């Protein structure tokens, strides 16, 4: 029976009989699992039986999370990690080797940029950072040793949207793998695998967890590519803990409800900001006047709550505005229940790949509070900034 994603989030992979009828899955806070006999150990070593052995390679709480995320992302397999960066670095390293070349589209998360641009150099892995909003750019950046195209869509500072169908097809024609960070949209609003992206990664610390209380990551792909990722979990060790996996499972229960509310709040706020005389521009693909809106609705089912905007004035007004906010709290990260604000400078320092990032950009994560209260907070802070 075909079921809606909302039904699947709650029920997929659950088997109450397996855990004494427990409705909420137990936390298997355990490092290793016993063999009942020497023979069972032998059978396991010969690959005759599949059982839990050691939490770095598998654990019932973690596996339930991985099954659910794989289903949500329409992939065949998922691995959960101790952070989004764990998922990103292990996924990249599962595809490239010394001498390879990576094409990275602009605006990716700063530590991802640092890893590809700087860290991988020590393994003789080179990279080219390109705009990529016109997929033709990618064709001219391809070299004979290009192994991977890496992107985020939308990216999380300028909120640019990339053409996933076109990028995946260019990659496939040239035997190049693709990895995409789908943290902004979540699997509730976008499934890059449907368009031919090979590996989808997330920081589960954002919307998947949703409560600003856990750092975790996931990578979703097919049965073949998960093997390289599994190998990296085994060797590099970035495995998620059972308790953290349980917190993400708990957060996922309300993902659809939360995302709907993030979306409706964010659209109201983006509309308010775009009409405000002191606001110069709003970067949010959910606005109908956004240059990315048409492409966005052709590959996404909705919009989340993170956006950026620029106000008039200079450093003085920016500072006064941020300090005058009362509900929006100054903090890094995003995707939780609470509304946050961060000056763009803080997010995007020293980046060569993004040239038009104004130093006066402000990024907000719109939370689950009342939209009218949030608008009043922004309105009041704008008044104070320019008084
Ligand atoms: C936060 C974030 C990451 C990194 O995730 P962690 O869980 O903090 O390691 C990766 N990509 C994006 C878009 C992010 O916002």
């Amino acid at each position: 029976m075909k079921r809606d994603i909302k039904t699947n989030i709650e029920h997929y992979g659950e088997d109450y009989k397996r855990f004494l009828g427990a409705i909420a899955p137990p936390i298997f806070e355990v490092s290793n699992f016993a063999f009942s006999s020497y023979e069972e150990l032998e059978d396991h070593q010969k690959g005759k039986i599949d059982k839990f052995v050691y939490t770095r390679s598998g654990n019932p709480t973690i596996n339930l999370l991985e099954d659910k995320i794989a289903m949500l992302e329409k992939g065949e397999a998922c691995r959960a990690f101790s952070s989004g960066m764990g998922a990103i670095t292990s996924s990249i390293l599962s595809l490239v080797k010394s001498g390879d070349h990576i094409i990275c589209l602009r605006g990716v998360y700063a530590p991802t940029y640092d890893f590809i641009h700087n860290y991988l150099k020590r393994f003789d892995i080179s990279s080219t950072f390109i705009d990529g909003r016109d997929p033709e750019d990618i064709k001219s950046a391809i070299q004979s040793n290009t192994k991977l195209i890496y992107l985020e869509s939308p990216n999380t500072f300028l909120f640019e949207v990339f053409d996933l169908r076109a990028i995946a097809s260019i990659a496939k024609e040239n035997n190049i793998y693709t990895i995409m960070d789908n943290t902004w949209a979540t699997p509730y609003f976008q499934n890059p695998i449907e368009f031919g992206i090979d590996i989808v990664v997330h920081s589960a610390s954002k919307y998947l967890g949703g409560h600003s209380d856990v750092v975790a990551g996931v990578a979703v792909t097919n049965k073949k590519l998960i093997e390289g990722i599994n190998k990296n979990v085994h060797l590099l060790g970035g495995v998620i803990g059972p308790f953290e996996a349980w917190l993400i499972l708990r957060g996922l229960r309300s993902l659809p409800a939360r995302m709907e509310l993030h979306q409706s709040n964010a659209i109201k706020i983006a509309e308010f900001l775009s009409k405000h005389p002191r606001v110069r521009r709003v970067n949010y693909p959910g606005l109908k006047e956004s240059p990315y809106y048409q492409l966005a609705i052709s590959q996404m089912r909705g919009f989340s709550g993170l956006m950026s905007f620029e106000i008039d004035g200079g450093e003085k007004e920016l500072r006064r505005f941020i300090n005058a906010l009362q509900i929006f709290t100054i903090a890094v990260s995003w995707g939780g229940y609470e509304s946050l604000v961060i000056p763009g400078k803080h997010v995007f320092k020293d980046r060569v790949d993004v040239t038009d990032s104004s130093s006066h950009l402000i990024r907000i994560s719109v939370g689950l509070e009342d939209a009218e209260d949030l608008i009043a907070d922004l309105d009041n802070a704008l008044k104070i900034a320019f008084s």
Side-chain angles (χ1 to χ4, degrees):
M1 189 168 50
K2 198 178 170 317
R3 288 178 162 181
D4 185 79
I5 183 170
K6 292 194 204 67
T7 310
N8 270 333
I9 280 190
E10 310 308 348
H11 296 287
Y12 185 85
E14 309 276 349
D15 179 2
Y16 304 135
K17 283 202 284 283
R18 194 169 154 208
F19 304 132
L20 307 174
I23 293 285
I27 308 171
F28 278 78
E29 194 68 53
V30 57
S31 59
N32 51 355
F33 298 82
F35 290 92
S36 61
S37 65
Y38 192 102
E39 287 68 31
E40 195 188 22
L41 175 65
E42 276 183 327
D43 284 348
H44 176 262
Q45 279 170 343
K46 286 181 195 142
K48 280 193 202 156
I49 55 160
D50 192 20
K51 81 176 279 301
F52 291 109
V53 176
Y54 188 57
T55 285
R56 197 173 78 244
S57 30
N59 170 292
T61 312
I62 299 174
N63 279 20
L64 178 57
L65 172 66
E66 291 169 337
D67 288 349
K68 269 196 208 269
I69 302 272
M71 174 278 298
L72 288 176
E73 272 297 9
K74 304 187 195 301
E76 292 172 352
C78 166
R79 239 9 250 273
F81 288 84
S82 53
S83 69
M85 282 313 293
I88 291 164
T89 55
S90 278
S91 298
I92 294 173
L93 290 174
S94 75
L95 298 178
V96 295
K97 60 174 189 339
S98 166
D100 286 343
H101 172 248
I102 301 174
I103 295 173
C104 186
L105 305 198
R106 72 185 219 142
V108 299
Y109 183 62
T112 305
Y113 166 83
D114 192 18
F115 181 71
I116 295 175
H117 187 252
N118 300 315
Y119 195 90
L120 288 179
K121 276 185 192 149
R122 67 169 76 174
F123 302 112
D124 189 27
I125 295 164
S126 59
S127 52
T128 306
F129 285 78
I130 61 166
D131 187 311
R133 280 174 291 172
D134 178 357
E136 292 299 311
D137 290 355
I138 298 173
K139 289 188 184 160
S140 35
I142 293 175
Q143 303 175 6
S144 58
N145 58 342
T146 304
K147 219 23 176 322
L148 170 66
I149 298 169
Y150 187 97
L151 73 151
E152 280 174 27
S153 179
N155 53 28
T156 57
F157 185 64
L158 297 170
F159 305 93
E160 296 155 332
V161 178
F162 297 87
D163 186 336
L164 303 188
R165 289 178 185 86
I167 291 166
S169 96
I170 293 168
K172 289 213 160 36
E173 279 161 26
N174 292 280
N175 280 317
I176 298 170
Y177 293 115
T178 43
I179 300 180
M180 180 173 140
D181 185 327
N182 194 28
T183 305
W184 189 87
T186 83
Y188 184 65
F189 285 144
Q190 176 167 255
N191 298 119
I193 287 174
E194 284 187 324
F195 305 109
I197 298 292
D198 294 310
I199 301 179
V200 175
V201 290
H202 285 274
S203 167
S205 325
K206 312 296 162 52
Y207 290 121
L208 298 182
H211 294 75
S212 303
D213 52 9
V214 56
V215 171
V218 293
V220 185
T221 184
N222 55 41
K223 287 200 176 109
K224 185 168 153 261
L225 295 184
I226 202 73
E227 284 172 22
I229 294 173
N230 283 340
K231 180 89 185 166
N232 283 352
V233 180
H234 188 62
L235 297 181
L236 305 178
V239 67
I240 193 173
F243 179 60
E244 284 71 21
W246 186 87
L247 282 175
I248 304 291
L249 279 167
R250 192 183 210 270
L252 276 183
R253 305 280 181 206
S254 60
L255 183 74
R258 285 186 288 111
M259 295 317 293
E260 296 291 348
L261 190 48
H262 282 299
Q263 166 167 254
S264 64
N265 277 357
I267 288 173
K268 284 179 197 151
I269 285 168
E271 280 168 357
F272 161 78
L273 288 171
S274 65
K275 288 188 192 106
H276 197 284
R278 291 296 193 181
V279 175
R280 281 191 213 140
R281 65 165 168 154
V282 180
N283 300 312
Y284 185 65
L287 273 178
K288 291 211 171 65
E289 60 265 32
S290 158
Y292 304 109
Y293 182 76
Q294 288 306 328
L295 177 60
I297 57 170
S298 79
Q299 54 194 32
M300 291 167 42
R301 295 179 292 273
F303 302 94
S304 73
L306 192 71
M307 69 182 77
S308 64
F309 58 98
E310 204 180 325
I311 61 173
D312 283 343
E315 176 69 24
K316 180 171 135 258
E317 288 74 17
L318 176 76
R319 200 174 279 270
R320 287 170 67 135
F321 171 72
I322 289 183
N323 279 331
L325 288 165
Q326 289 173 13
I327 303 175
F328 285 87
T329 306
I330 306 170
V332 298
S333 196
W334 49 277
Y337 56 87
E338 77 290 15
S339 290
L340 299 176
V341 61
I342 195 90
K345 275 207 287 234
H346 190 85
V347 185
F348 258 54
K349 39 184 190 266
D350 314 323
R351 290 288 293 271
V352 299
D353 63 326
V354 181
T355 47
D356 73 346
S357 62
S358 154
S359 60
H360 290 128
L361 225 43
I362 298 160
R363 190 177 78 179
I364 54 172
S365 176
V366 175
L368 303 174
E369 302 95 335
D370 178 65
E372 297 311 312
D373 289 348
L374 294 175
I375 288 171
D377 194 25
L378 293 165
D379 198 29
N380 179 56
L382 280 162
K383 275 197 195 89
I384 291 174
F386 293 98
S387 61

